[in-house]
């Protein structure tokens, strides 16, 4: 007979706000429910221009740069998260899920102190006021995906309220951009987190099962390189 205690407790995804100077967590936001789906997009940062610069093409790309990269791919994530106060009746929630929503909203808002400081500098005649810098934010999806991100989209759909009109159920659409070494200044702690994230990808790629030319219906081996050097490419197995 299976007991509830025998069922593994699922790992939750979440967001960790990091002090970029000390590297210590300032706030940990654990998502109540893991999203059912994730939408990820990677855009390679090619060095050459777009288009085909071959003899029959009309593009303006540089053939010497066709296989070169300027830097890491630009990666974005999108997902929908759920927050439901009715799933936690044992936890007192006089404000509904206002605190959880406010915590996420403050990830894309400067604080009142930062705004007042900027106003004081403006009143003192400061010629240039630097944009307000937000804390370093990490998105975690298990131990194999921990990456520095910037929140690019936060859309909230509140769908239920208590008698005091406090929201008690909401779905959140979150858009994230993974910050790479191309986005962060040299020596920034976030760049170290990104390099660790990329190294994890390399380890996972190295553990993938290798394919074979035969599985693609191609023949090759020792003669394949010679054939390619002669400009003949590879040979199909000729099924059909």
């Amino acid at each position: 007979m299976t007991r509830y205690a025998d069922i593994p407790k699922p790992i939750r995804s979440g967001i960790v706000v990091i002090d970029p100077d000390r590297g210590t967590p300032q706030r940990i936001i654990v998502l109540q429910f893991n999203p059912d789906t994730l939408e990820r997009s990677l855009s390679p940062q090619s060095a050459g221009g777009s288009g085909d610069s071959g003899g029959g093409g009309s593009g303006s790309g540089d053939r010497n740069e066709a296989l070169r990269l300027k830097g890491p791919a630009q990666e974005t994530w999108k997902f929908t998260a759920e927050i439901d106060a009715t799933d936690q009746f044992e936890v007192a929630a006089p404000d509904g899920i206002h605190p959880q929503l406010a915590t996420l909203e403050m990830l894309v808002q400067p604080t009142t102190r930062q705004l007042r400081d900027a106003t004081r500098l403006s009143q003192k005649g400061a010629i240039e006021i630097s944009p307000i810098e937000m804390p370093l934010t990490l998105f975690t999806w298990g131990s194999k995906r921990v990456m520095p991100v910037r929140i690019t989209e936060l859309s909230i759909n509140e769908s239920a309220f208590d008698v005091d009109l406090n929201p008690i159920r909401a779905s959140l659409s979150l858009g994230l951009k993974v910050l790479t070494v191309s986005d962060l200044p040299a020596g920034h702690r976030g760049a170290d987190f990104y390099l660790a994230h990329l190294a994890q990808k390399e380890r996972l790629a190295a553990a993938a099962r290798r394919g074979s030319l035969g599985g693609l219906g191609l023949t090759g081996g020792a003669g394949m390189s010679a054939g390619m050097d002669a400009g003949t490419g590879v040979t199909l197995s000729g099924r059909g």
Side-chain angles (χ1 to χ4, degrees), residues 32-33 82-98 100 159-163 166-170:
Q32 185 179 358
F33 305 106
E82 304 286 339
I83 302 178
D84 191 343
T86 62
D87 191 62
Q88 304 178 62
F89 281 121
E90 71 280 3
V91 179
D95 299 318
I97 58 173
H98 269 309
Q100 293 93 320
S159 56
F161 305 86
D162 64 16
V163 294
N166 294 311
I168 58 175
R169 186 186 306 123

Side-chain angles (χ1 to χ4, degrees), residues 9 13 19 51 54 66 87-88 95 104 120 124 138 143 151 154 172 185 189 193 196 202 205 225 232-233 240:
K9 187 176 182 180
S13 56
D19 185 320
D87 191 62
Q88 304 178 62
D95 299 318
L104 290 168
R120 279 194 291 268
K124 290 180 179 179
L138 303 180
S143 61
I151 296 178
L154 175 58
L172 313 169
R189 195 174 296 273
F193 280 110
E202 293 171 352
S225 297
T232 57

Side-chain angles (χ1 to χ4, degrees), residues 6 11 20 102 141 146 160 193 196 218 223 238:
D6 297 330
I11 295 176
W141 186 270
V146 179
F193 280 110
L218 305 176

Side-chain angles (χ1 to χ4, degrees), residues 44-49 62-71:
Q45 299 302 295
S46 303
D62 185 345
R63 284 180 287 185
N64 295 323
E65 303 291 335
L67 299 179
R68 297 183 184 275
L69 297 173
K70 295 186 293 185

Side-chain angles (χ1 to χ4, degrees), residues 16-227:
V16 183
V17 180
I18 299 289
D19 185 320
D21 296 323
R22 302 181 180 87
T24 55
Q26 291 182 325
R27 183 180 290 272
I28 299 173
I29 303 169
V30 180
L31 297 183
Q32 185 179 358
F33 305 106
N34 287 330
D36 292 328
T37 60
L38 295 172
E39 180 183 344
R40 301 171 54 231
S41 175
L42 285 87
S43 301
Q45 299 302 295
S46 303
S50 60
D52 176 19
S53 61
S58 59
S60 59
D62 185 345
R63 284 180 287 185
N64 295 323
E65 303 291 335
L67 299 179
R68 297 183 184 275
L69 297 173
K70 295 186 293 185
Q74 297 296 303
E75 183 176 357
T76 59
W77 288 53
K78 289 185 179 180
F79 60 87
T80 300
E82 304 286 339
I83 302 178
D84 191 343
T86 62
D87 191 62
Q88 304 178 62
F89 281 121
E90 71 280 3
V91 179
D95 299 318
I97 58 173
H98 269 309
Q100 293 93 320
L101 296 178
T103 298
L104 290 168
E105 291 177 51
M106 287 310 300
L107 295 178
V108 295
Q109 296 269 23
T111 64
T112 53
R113 178 178 179 180
Q114 290 171 322
L115 291 174
R116 285 169 177 157
D117 288 344
T119 299
R120 279 194 291 268
L121 287 173
S122 176
Q123 291 173 342
K124 290 180 179 179
I127 298 177
E128 182 178 354
I129 301 175
S130 299
I132 296 171
E133 182 174 357
M134 301 302 291
L136 174 62
T137 304
L138 303 180
F139 177 65
T140 70
W141 186 270
S143 61
K144 296 180 179 63
R145 287 174 170 173
V146 179
M147 65 210 83
V149 298
R150 180 176 69 238
I151 296 178
T152 58
E153 176 187 344
L154 175 58
S155 177
I156 303 172
N157 182 12
E158 300 175 3
S159 56
F161 305 86
D162 64 16
V163 294
D164 295 319
L165 292 184
N166 294 311
I168 58 175
R169 186 186 306 123
S171 61
L172 313 169
S173 296
L174 275 165
L176 308 174
K177 179 186 183 299
V178 178
L179 298 177
T180 73
V181 292
S182 300
D183 302 310
L184 298 165
H188 195 282
R189 195 174 296 273
D192 295 333
F193 280 110
Y194 173 75
L195 291 175
H197 169 60
L198 188 60
Q200 179 67 271
K201 285 182 181 285
E202 293 171 352
R203 287 191 290 271
L204 293 171
R209 182 177 178 181
R210 294 182 180 274
S212 65
L213 287 175
L216 300 176
L218 305 176
T219 60
M224 183 176 174
S225 297

